[in-house]
């Protein structure tokens, strides 16, 4: 009874959020000292320097550490909203405010039939697992936009698409939230909104897309999956080393280009799988509602009825939870195959995981748990024991192997669950309506995603 009332009442939720966020603020404001390297220097030094350049109406295109799409300027300039505070302090306060806004969205989304407050609890617990880094990067703001887009997908398709476009121009990856949205409306809204905003930046601010060159020239970051090859190779005489390159600690030396190419190839394969999933899922008819099954033959849709009532998208497995599940899996796949896995990438995954857990019908329970476990290991490898990671000590290698292993497991389990939920369930063996072994025909508990 206590656990059930805690889940339904926002009192405990707000109390735990307040306690954990106060602790994060004390760390980033340096009232308390968090062990390891200073994670706030990105804000107090790098972001502040970019802020001064952006205020002049141009991008810091001569700075190789500027590797972000043009809308990132909004996040970097946001401390101007609090002119009475010093830049870094204003940034941290705004990050906390965005954190609170996401919690409010998740709590509201978790109410009602087929919904769950567990999404809000995942946010409350998952964010502080990453330590003060979460408030010392602008990724929390990007994640908030992606969360809002997914929560809007069921009823406000155009708004969801527009938010996805804004998110993509903040940090690219939120474009992936579109992959599980049914119908054309969110895609059209994203294309129109994204093109318009990108064009506006290109015309008004020089250097808006210089980041593309800097991203292309990046190497293999020490925390990535591919980096494990070099961490181990250093103990067997590999002649390369670790240097600060393009704003992060990267491996440089023999065969780095090969591993980088393999990583990009795996990302291309992940994209191919997502495309295949999208096509198959869109063609897979979902189970009919109880009402339609109870209708007599003469009341069933006739050939003369509108095409929209019989379109594949309206009968597909794109339920409301599908958009969240697909986005979560997509970002997982691109994270584990990336040449870079910075700690703040886990903020993205925690944010998407929260939306999945807002839906009782979501199939992402195990992958979400794995991501939360990976978040806890992440704060150990950065910043607590980052020196061991950079030096490729046995402890550093073990931490990376566990963290990246958890993420790979989450990606594989999530991809399998997504496929079974949307493809095999309604389209096994190429026969519409057939079910795979051991898979229920029962309709999802949540409402279909928009298909207009």
């Amino acid at each position: 009874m206590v656990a059930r009332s805690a889940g339904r009442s926002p009192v405990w939720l707000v109390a735990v959020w307040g306690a954990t966020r106060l602790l994060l603020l004390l760390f980033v404001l340096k009232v308390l000292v968090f062990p390891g390297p200073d994670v706030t220097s990105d804000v107090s030094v790098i972001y502040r320097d970019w802020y001064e350049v952006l205020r002049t109406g141009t991008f810091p295109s001569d700075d190789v550490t500027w590797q972000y799409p043009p809308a990132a300027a909004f996040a970097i300039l946001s401390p101007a909203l609090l002119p009475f505070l010093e830049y870094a302090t204003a940034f941290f306060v705004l990050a906390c405010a965005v954190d609170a806004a996401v919690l409010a969205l998740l709590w509201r989304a978790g109410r009602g039939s087929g919904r769950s407050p567990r999404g809000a609890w995942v946010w409350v617990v998952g964010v502080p697992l990453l330590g003060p880094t979460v408030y010392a990067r602008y990724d929390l703001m990007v994640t908030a936009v992606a969360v809002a887009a997914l929560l809007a997908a069921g009823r406000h398709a155009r708004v969801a698409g527009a938010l996805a476009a804004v998110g993509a121009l903040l940090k690219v990856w939120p474009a992936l939230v579109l992959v599980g949205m049914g119908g054309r409306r969110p895609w059209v809204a994203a294309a129109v909104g994204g093109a318009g905003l990108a064009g506006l930046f290109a015309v008004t601010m020089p250097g808006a897309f210089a980041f593309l060159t800097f991203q292309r020239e990046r190497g293999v970051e020490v925390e990535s999956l591919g980096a494990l090859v070099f961490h181990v190779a250093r103990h067997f005489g590999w002649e390369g080393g670790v240097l600060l390159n393009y704003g992060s600690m990267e491996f440089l030396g023999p065969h780095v280009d090969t591993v980088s190419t393999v990583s990009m190839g795996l990302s291309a394969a992940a994209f191919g799988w997502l495309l295949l999933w999208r096509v198959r899922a869109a063609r897979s008819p979902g189970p009919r509602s109880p009402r339609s099954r109870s209708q007599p033959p003469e009341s069933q849709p006739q050939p003369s009825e509108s095409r929209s009532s019989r379109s594949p998208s309206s009968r597909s497995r794109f339920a409301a939870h599908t958009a969240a599940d697909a986005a979560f899996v997509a970002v997982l796949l691109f994270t584990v195959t990336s040449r870079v896995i910075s700690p703040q990438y886990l903020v993205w995954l925690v944010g998407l995981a929260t939306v999945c857990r807002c839906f009782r019908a979501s199939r992402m329970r195990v992958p979400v748990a794995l991501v939360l476990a990976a978040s806890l290991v992440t704060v150990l490898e950065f910043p607590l024991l980052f020196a061991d990671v950079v030096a490729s000590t046995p402890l550093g290698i073990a931490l990376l192997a566990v963290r990246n292993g958890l993420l790979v497991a989450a990606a594989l389990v999530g991809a399998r669950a997504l496929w079974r939920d949307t493809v095999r369930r309604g389209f096994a063996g190429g026969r519409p309506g057939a079910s795979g072994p051991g898979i229920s025909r029962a309709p999802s508990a949540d409402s279909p995603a928009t298909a207009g």
Side-chain angles (χ1 to χ4, degrees):
M1 289 296 292
V2 174
R4 181 176 297 180
S5 62
R8 291 178 178 176
S9 171
V11 175
W12 282 104
L13 191 74
V14 173
V16 176
W17 180 90
T20 54
R21 274 42 175 196
L22 175 60
L23 196 59
L24 289 179
L25 283 173
L26 291 175
F27 281 131
V28 294
L29 294 174
K30 299 183 181 179
V31 177
L32 299 177
V33 178
F34 198 83
D38 180 14
V39 300
T40 65
S41 60
D42 277 34
V43 176
S44 60
V45 178
I46 299 175
Y47 286 14
R48 178 58 192 263
D49 289 346
W50 291 342
Y51 173 81
E52 298 298 339
V53 176
L54 290 167
R55 289 177 63 188
T56 67
T58 186
F59 285 92
S61 55
D62 295 331
D63 185 349
V64 296
T65 61
W66 176 262
Q67 301 167 11
Y68 309 110
F74 294 145
I76 304 302
L77 292 170
S78 63
L81 296 172
L82 303 175
F84 48 88
L85 294 176
E86 186 269 334
Y87 180 87
T89 303
F91 186 92
F92 301 144
V93 170
L94 288 171
C96 186
V98 170
D99 186 351
V102 173
L103 177 63
L105 287 174
L106 292 169
W107 173 252
R108 184 175 184 274
R111 304 175 67 183
S113 176
R115 302 300 182 95
S116 170
R118 292 187 179 91
W121 276 107
V122 169
W123 181 257
V124 168
V125 174
V127 168
L129 287 178
L130 295 166
T133 305
V134 75
Y135 276 9
R137 305 290 186 272
Y138 84 90
D139 295 79
L140 190 70
M141 302 173 184
V142 183
T143 301
V145 175
V147 168
L150 286 173
L151 293 178
R155 294 184 178 180
H156 307 286
R158 293 186 179 91
V159 172
L163 287 171
V166 172
L169 287 170
L170 278 167
K171 208 164 188 180
V172 180
W173 70 265
L176 293 171
V177 303
L178 291 166
V179 72
M181 294 185 189
R184 296 189 182 95
R185 290 179 183 174
W187 292 82
V188 172
V192 173
L197 188 56
L200 182 63
F201 275 115
V203 171
T204 59
M205 295 183 69
F209 297 97
F211 78 98
L212 294 172
T213 300
F214 300 149
Q215 279 286 350
R216 185 174 63 248
E217 295 175 355
R218 293 194 70 167
V220 176
E221 192 258 345
V222 294
E223 298 164 280
S224 66
L225 184 63
L228 284 168
V229 174
F230 301 112
H231 281 295
V232 174
R234 293 177 84 178
H235 291 272
F236 295 91
W238 180 66
E239 297 178 353
V242 176
L243 292 174
L244 182 63
N245 189 51
Y246 288 94
S248 65
M249 303 302 292
E250 298 181 354
F251 279 111
L252 298 176
H255 310 298
V256 170
D257 288 343
T258 300
V259 172
S260 180
T261 300
V262 170
S263 296
M264 290 188 286
L266 290 173
S267 294
F271 178 80
W273 183 88
L274 286 169
L275 183 61
L276 175 64
W277 167 80
R278 171 80 191 194
V279 172
R280 289 291 302 274
R283 292 178 178 176
S284 300
R288 291 177 298 170
S289 66
R291 180 180 178 182
S292 64
R293 286 197 296 267
S294 64
Q295 288 177 326
E298 60 270 16
S299 66
Q300 298 296 325
Q302 299 300 314
S304 60
E305 292 187 44
S306 67
R307 223 179 257 184
S308 62
S309 65
R310 297 178 288 111
S311 65
S313 61
S314 65
R315 295 180 283 109
S316 74
R317 292 303 310 160
F318 288 100
H321 73 275
T322 302
D325 287 2
F328 182 53
V329 170
V331 175
L332 268 170
L333 289 172
F334 279 100
T335 297
V336 299
T337 59
S338 173
R339 295 173 294 172
V340 179
I341 305 182
S342 296
Q344 58 266 32
Y345 289 19
L346 274 292
V347 182
W348 315 345
L349 296 173
V350 169
L352 298 178
T354 64
V355 184
C356 293
R357 296 300 278 128
C358 282
F359 297 97
R360 297 186 186 278
S362 172
R363 303 301 187 263
M364 297 296 130
R365 293 175 180 81
V366 173
V368 167
L370 291 171
V371 165
L372 291 177
S375 299
L376 180 58
V377 180
T378 296
V379 79
L380 296 177
E381 63 92 359
F382 184 89
L384 290 175
L385 298 169
F386 192 57
D388 287 273
V389 172
V390 173
S392 301
T393 67
L395 177 58
I397 295 174
L399 286 173
L400 280 183
V402 172
R403 194 280 301 271
N404 292 344
L406 288 168
L407 291 179
V408 169
L412 295 177
V413 173
R416 181 176 182 270
L418 179 66
W419 187 276
R420 288 172 65 90
D421 184 43
T422 55
V423 178
R424 292 181 60 188
R425 184 173 181 170
F427 199 65
R431 294 182 294 106
S435 296
I439 302 175
S440 171
R441 289 173 176 260
S444 299
D446 53 347
S447 59
T450 181

